[in-house]
């Protein structure tokens, strides 16, 4: 059981970081091509970048892709869900139904001032 | 012959064919052929798939291979493939020229990578292997075979490195030596490729396309494969699942390509894509064989000494293979009557 749990946790961690590991591996394997063709300093004689600018760009893009699932967005989603659940508890659930009747259609949409009169003593 | 003996014979013969195929399971290398052959009249079908990411585009190859044991010593194979590795013409800036005064300066350049290409039929690749040395002992054997291959692939391949199966037409040959002992197998393949040329057109912006000929470089191949039968440790029946682990080193050295335009202009080679080169790749693989028949190969290819300019890394491979055993003759009504 412990072994299974360990494998599950290990795989979860691995999968979470898989895209980054994959990007790093791909960079390592194709670095010579990237350095000569895609690096912003490719034409400089002493290229100290060696294609790392491309790697950083790829990692940033990956971070961007993963953003909707993390940090601020996730917190915002949690806040909305919390408010919804509080309102549901307080007010109960109700359905919004469209009522179609002649009375409502012909009713005045303005405020009936005549209604707001002080009562006769 | 009594019926029961006839059926026993069929079962024994089929069993022997199965044993012949799986008893050396750890030498069924995913990327290299062993010196052993398919048993006579056994058919093998292998659909396989290769893919690698190339700057935002996934290059893929779908192939289908048919194998046949013509005699116990001779196996023949045919492979067809569809890939999205190449466009219909050569890439726009692979070969170009500029006009400087009265002179024209020709050059070869690195092409833009990550361009989407359509899926094109590559062609037909044929392969024959003849086993000429067989030294068999209990749980041990040494075999040697000679092979010859040929292809009519005619896609606009844009690198010097030839590959008969999916990139260049031509022919080749070589020798295979395979040694197997208990759970281990090792095999070496040494060979050559004499590629053909590609005749096509190179785009020239603002002008008609330029007739271009690329003669790909001759190549030497040196592959070393190791296999290990991981499971089962001991066979109990033929239906047992086999798990084999492989480590294959694939090496190639090739000459520079020769590029000619208009039939007479020799274009200087200034890009590593068309220069001579050499590399060694490592392909670790895992293989499962179910019911002694259905074989599934999974592997990943990585560069370990320099690299191939014909692909990006890692290269993923998936192969599925099935054997069809010959139907042994059943008794006819006439033979029944005679009995």
């Amino acid at each position: 059981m412990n072994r299974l749990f360990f494998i599950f946790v290990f795989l979860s961690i691995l999968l979470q970081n898989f895209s980054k590991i994959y990007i790093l591996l791909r960079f390592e394997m194709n670095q010579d091509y990237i350095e000569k063709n895609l690096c912003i300093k490719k034409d400089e004689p002493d290229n100290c970048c060696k294609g790392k600018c491309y790697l950083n760009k790829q990692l940033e893009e990956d971070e961007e892709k993963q953003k909707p699932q993390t940090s601020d967005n996730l917190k915002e989603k949690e806040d909305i869900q919390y408010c919804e659940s509080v309102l549901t508890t307080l007010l109960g659930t109700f359905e919004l139904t469209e009522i179609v009747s002649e009375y409502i259609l012909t009713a005045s949409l303005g405020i009936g001032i005549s209604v707001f009169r002080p009562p006769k003593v | 012959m009594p019926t029961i003996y006839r059926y026993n014979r069929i079962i024994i013969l089929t069993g022997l064919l199965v044993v012949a195929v799986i008893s050396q399971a750890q030498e069924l290398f995913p990327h290299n052929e062993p010196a052993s052959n398919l048993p006579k009249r056994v058919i093998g079908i292998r659909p396989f798939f290769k893919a690698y990411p190339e700057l935002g585009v996934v290059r893929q190859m779908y192939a289908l291979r048919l194998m046949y044991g013509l005699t116990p010593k001779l196996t023949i194979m045919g492979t067809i493939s569809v890939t999205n590795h190449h466009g219909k013409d050569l890439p726009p800036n692979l070969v170009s020229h500029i006009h400087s005064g009265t002179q024209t300066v020709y050059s070869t350049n690195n092409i833009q990578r990550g361009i989407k290409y359509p899926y094109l039929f590559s062609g037909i690749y044929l392969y024959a292997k003849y086993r000429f040395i067989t030294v068999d002992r209990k749980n041990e054997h040494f075999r040697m075979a000679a092979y010859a291959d040929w292809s009519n692939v005619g896609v606009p391949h844009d690198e010097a490195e030839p590959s008969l199966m999916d990139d260049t037409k031509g022919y080749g040959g070589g020798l295979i030596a395979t040694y197997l002992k208990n759970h281990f197998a090792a095999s070496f393949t040494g060979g050559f490729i004499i590629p053909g040329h590609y005749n096509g057109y190179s785009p020239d912006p603002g002008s008609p396309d330029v007739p271009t000929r690329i003669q790909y470089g001759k190549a030497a191949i040196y592959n070393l494969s190791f296999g290990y039968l991981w499971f089962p440790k001991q066979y109990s029946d033929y239906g047992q699942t086999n798990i084999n682990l492989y480590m294959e080193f694939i090496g190639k050295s090739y000459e520079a390509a020769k590029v000619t335009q208009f039939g007479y202009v020799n274009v200087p080679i200034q890009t590593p894509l068309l220069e001579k080169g050499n590399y060694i790749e490592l392909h670790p693989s895992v293989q499962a064989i179910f019911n002694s028949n259905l074989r599934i190969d999974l592997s990943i290819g990585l560069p370990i000494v320099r690299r191939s300019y014909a692909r990006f890394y890692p290269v993923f491979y998936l192969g599925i293979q099935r054997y069809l055993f010959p139907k042994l003759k059943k008794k006819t009504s006439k033979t029944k009557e005679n009995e």
Side-chain angles (χ1 to χ4, degrees):
Chain A
M1 192 66 192
N2 279 342
R3 205 172 160 191
L4 272 177
F5 178 74
F6 173 74
I7 292 168
F8 176 76
V9 170
F10 177 72
L11 282 177
S12 316
I13 294 165
L14 198 73
L15 278 175
Q16 266 183 349
N17 295 302
F18 182 75
S19 60
K20 281 192 181 63
I21 294 167
Y22 182 62
I23 289 168
L24 283 169
L25 273 176
R26 231 170 47 186
F27 174 75
E28 278 297 317
M29 284 179 222
N30 301 296
Q31 191 176 5
D32 58 343
Y33 179 84
I34 293 164
E35 189 185 326
K36 284 173 196 159
N37 298 283
L38 304 167
C39 179
I40 46 171
K41 292 182 180 174
K42 66 182 181 204
D43 297 324
E44 289 180 16
D46 293 319
N47 180 355
C48 58
C49 178
K50 296 196 182 299
K52 281 178 192 126
C53 56
Y54 180 80
L55 172 68
N56 288 337
K57 203 175 146 194
Q58 291 281 301
L59 288 169
E60 274 168 24
E61 277 174 18
D62 181 61
E63 199 92 359
E64 284 292 315
K65 271 184 202 168
Q66 288 188 358
K67 239 182 186 171
Q69 298 297 320
T70 56
S71 63
D72 297 343
N73 285 3
L74 202 68
K75 198 176 176 296
E76 205 174 289
K77 213 175 174 182
E78 275 173 8
D79 286 347
I80 291 166
Q81 276 176 346
Y82 174 73
C83 291
E84 274 178 353
S85 65
V86 168
L87 281 171
T88 312
T89 319
L90 291 173
L91 304 171
T93 53
F94 56 88
E95 275 185 10
L96 283 174
T97 49
E98 194 185 349
I99 301 163
V100 182
S101 81
E102 223 171 86
Y103 174 75
I104 287 172
L105 286 172
T106 53
S108 167
L109 295 170
I111 299 165
I113 296 169
S114 57
V115 175
F116 298 104
R117 272 190 229 162
K120 281 181 184 175
V121 183
Chain B
M1 193 190 286
T3 317
I4 190 155
Y5 291 131
R6 265 194 108 77
Y7 283 120
N8 275 349
R9 210 177 126 221
I10 290 168
I11 291 163
I12 289 165
L13 281 172
T14 311
L16 281 174
L17 285 175
V18 170
V19 169
V21 170
I22 67 147
S23 62
Q24 305 117 17
Q26 64 272 36
E27 63 171 27
L28 299 173
F29 309 107
H31 296 284
N32 286 303
E33 279 297 314
S36 304
N37 290 65
L38 273 185
K40 191 181 173 184
R41 289 197 291 158
V42 169
I43 297 168
I45 302 169
R46 185 195 298 176
F48 59 100
F49 165 76
K50 267 187 195 179
Y52 57 86
E54 186 192 289
L55 309 182
V57 173
V58 180
R59 297 271 177 244
Q60 296 174 60
M61 181 187 78
Y62 297 89
L64 178 69
R65 175 171 293 174
L66 289 176
M67 295 158 265
Y68 184 65
L70 208 60
T71 72
K73 288 185 175 182
L74 181 64
T75 298
I76 53 168
M77 297 179 197
T79 309
I80 51 170
S81 58
V82 173
T83 74
N84 67 347
H85 293 183
H86 307 94
K88 285 177 183 166
D89 284 314
L90 289 166
N93 57 341
L94 180 71
V95 191
S96 60
H97 63 264
I98 50 164
H99 300 284
S100 169
T102 53
Q103 279 193 325
T104 308
V105 182
Y106 293 86
S107 64
T108 51
N109 314 288
N110 284 347
I111 56 165
Q112 194 189 336
R113 296 290 190 169
I115 298 173
K116 275 190 181 172
Y117 292 132
Y119 285 91
L120 299 174
F121 176 68
S122 302
I124 298 167
Y125 169 66
L126 300 175
Y127 178 100
K129 178 174 64 175
Y130 182 76
R131 176 164 49 88
F132 61 90
I133 291 179
T134 310
V135 183
D136 287 357
R137 293 194 192 99
K138 198 190 173 196
N139 297 327
E140 184 182 6
H141 68 229
F142 174 74
R143 290 167 185 178
M144 280 191 78
Y147 76 88
D149 53 355
W150 172 91
S151 111
N152 75 343
V153 169
V155 288
H157 179 54
D158 42 47
E159 287 97 14
E161 181 192 337
S163 169
L164 293 183
M165 198 171 67
D166 58 338
D167 281 337
T168 46
K169 62 176 142 185
Y171 63 92
L175 292 172
I176 307 166
T178 304
Y179 176 70
L180 180 142
K181 187 166 187 181
N182 300 325
H183 284 218
F184 285 97
S187 187
F188 176 77
T189 304
F192 65 90
I193 300 172
I194 309 288
H197 61 268
Y198 174 77
N199 259 338
Y201 289 90
S202 188
D204 185 13
S207 307
D209 292 349
V210 179
T212 304
R213 181 186 197 270
I214 299 184
Q215 174 61 57
Y216 304 103
K218 290 174 193 159
I221 54 173
Y222 32 89
N223 303 339
L224 185 60
S225 304
F226 298 100
Y228 176 68
L229 171 63
W230 188 50
F231 183 84
K233 296 291 173 206
Q234 276 191 328
Y235 283 106
S236 58
D237 65 85
Y238 300 135
Q240 234 173 342
T241 301
N242 267 49
I243 308 283
N244 300 307
L245 305 175
Y246 294 101
M247 204 57 102
E248 291 182 89
F249 297 89
I250 294 179
K252 201 184 268 181
S253 289
Y254 50 89
E255 294 176 339
K258 285 174 189 145
V259 181
T260 316
Q261 286 202 312
F262 302 107
Y264 60 91
V265 178
N266 286 323
V267 183
I269 303 299
Q270 291 152 322
T271 163
L273 305 182
L274 297 166
E275 282 169 1
K276 67 176 182 181
N278 61 76
Y279 65 86
I280 297 174
E281 290 172 352
L282 174 67
H283 292 256
S285 317
V286 61
Q287 177 183 73
I289 301 174
F290 303 99
N291 285 321
S292 310
N293 198 335
L294 179 67
R295 169 182 147 185
I296 297 174
D297 302 336
L298 270 173
S299 92
I300 183 167
L302 321 161
I304 52 166
V305 179
R306 283 177 280 278
R307 58 168 295 148
S308 163
Y309 286 98
R311 53 190 156 269
F312 276 64
Y313 297 98
V315 181
F316 299 99
Y317 171 87
L318 167 70
I320 298 168
Q321 184 164 316
R322 205 173 161 82
Y323 299 106
L324 303 173
F325 297 100
K327 272 189 181 173
L328 297 167
K329 276 180 191 172
K330 280 185 182 172
K331 236 172 16 164
T332 59
S333 55
K334 263 190 178 179
T335 52
K336 258 184 194 175
E337 279 164 19
N338 291 339
E339 280 171 16

